[in-house]
Amino acid sequence: MATVKELKATARPSVGKGAARAERRAGRVPGVIYGNNQPPLPIAVDDRELRQRILAGRFLTTVCDIDLEGKKHRVIPRDFHLDPVRDFPIHVDFLRLGEGATIRVSVPLHVVKSEASPGVKRGGTVNIVTHAIELECSVDNIPQFIEADVGALEISHSLHLSDVKMPTGVKSLAREDITLVTIVPPSGYAEELKAAAASAAAAGGAAAPAAGAAAPAAAPAAAAAPAAGAKAPAAGAKAPAGGGDKKK
């Protein structure tokens, strides 16, 4: 169940730039409630309270009950504008929510178990590629954030949206193959891998001649074969000599 915050507001009797400036001078921020097949409703909210809500975070994903002169309107903030110089809110828009309504929201990504990641233990750094995910869900089931578990990631490995389990009743509107988080290798990691590969290749090259060196050592034994065969003619040479004696 989504957390519902209460926010008090007053009706704006008139609209336009002049009326909006008058509201700001009085310490209020002009806004509007729209949607749900009803006419827009101009309102004004307290400047200080609105700033606190925005600075607290998750403002655009928090359902609110706006108390307007005793009548409550279930809304969700859809947009707000800040002064480009002084950075304070100058306008805010609220979307009116009907019962059982389904909306699209952008929810932040929270990385968990980074300290257990093998890549982080080896000096890698967690790099968040996607900071927020577009979701579609009911107004009563808006998650505050989506968890990305990187506890099993090695260096240069990534976590994709397809690896994350969505809460019940929540649908992701992004591609399943988008990268959420990756473990970046530490400085000099590529050079270390090249050096290790070169050392392994050198060690393997040195072992090959050592193993082959045994073959030439066996060559003298093979050379003894003709010497053994040389006795055959010597033994055969006696046969003619013996045959001559018989003729005599």
Side-chain angles (χ1 to χ4, degrees):
M1 183 75 176
T3 302
V4 179
K5 302 286 187 178
E6 288 197 2
L7 183 63
K8 289 188 176 182
T10 57
R12 280 194 291 152
S14 58
V15 295
K17 292 184 178 180
R21 283 195 291 266
E23 293 289 350
R24 296 186 191 106
R25 286 194 297 268
R28 295 185 293 269
V29 179
V32 63
I33 299 175
Y34 67 94
N36 199 29
N37 299 319
Q38 298 181 33
L41 182 60
I43 62 170
V45 296
D46 182 72
D47 176 80
R48 181 178 297 180
E49 186 175 4
L50 182 61
R51 288 195 204 190
Q52 291 176 349
R53 297 290 180 88
I54 294 173
L55 293 175
R58 299 194 296 271
F59 178 66
L60 296 179
T61 58
T62 302
V63 177
C64 300
D65 277 339
I66 292 184
D67 186 350
L68 182 61
E69 300 174 351
K71 183 179 180 181
K72 291 187 177 182
H73 299 261
R74 179 65 57 90
V75 301
I76 186 170
R78 296 309 273 172
D79 197 12
F80 60 89
H81 303 279
L82 301 176
D83 184 272
V85 178
R86 290 177 287 180
D87 204 33
F88 58 77
I90 58 176
H91 194 274
V92 60
D93 296 337
F94 296 96
L95 175 65
R96 188 184 286 111
L97 300 175
E99 186 177 353
T102 299
I103 60 171
R104 295 184 176 187
V105 291
S106 181
V107 176
L109 185 74
H110 279 199
V111 175
V112 296
K113 297 184 181 180
S114 59
E115 67 283 352
S117 166
V120 172
K121 290 181 178 179
R122 293 172 58 194
T125 304
V126 176
N127 178 37
I128 302 177
V129 180
T130 304
H131 292 269
I133 303 175
E134 293 290 328
L135 304 176
E136 184 178 79
C137 58
S138 68
V139 296
D140 297 325
N141 196 31
I142 302 175
Q144 293 186 350
F145 53 83
I146 297 297
E147 284 191 352
D149 186 347
V150 299
L153 286 189
E154 273 283 4
I155 289 178
S156 299
H157 288 199
S158 301
L159 187 76
H160 300 88
L161 183 59
S162 57
D163 302 320
V164 176
K165 184 179 180 180
M166 292 292 160
T168 304
V170 176
K171 176 185 176 183
S172 171
L173 300 177
R175 300 192 325 269
E176 291 292 318
D177 61 343
I178 65 169
T179 301
L180 302 181
V181 185
T182 185
I183 304 298
V184 179
S187 177
Y189 181 73
E191 287 72 13
E192 290 180 8
L193 290 181
K194 289 180 181 179
S199 299
K231 295 180 180 179
K238 295 180 180 180
D245 292 339
K246 291 179 180 179
K247 288 179 181 181
K248 289 179 181 181

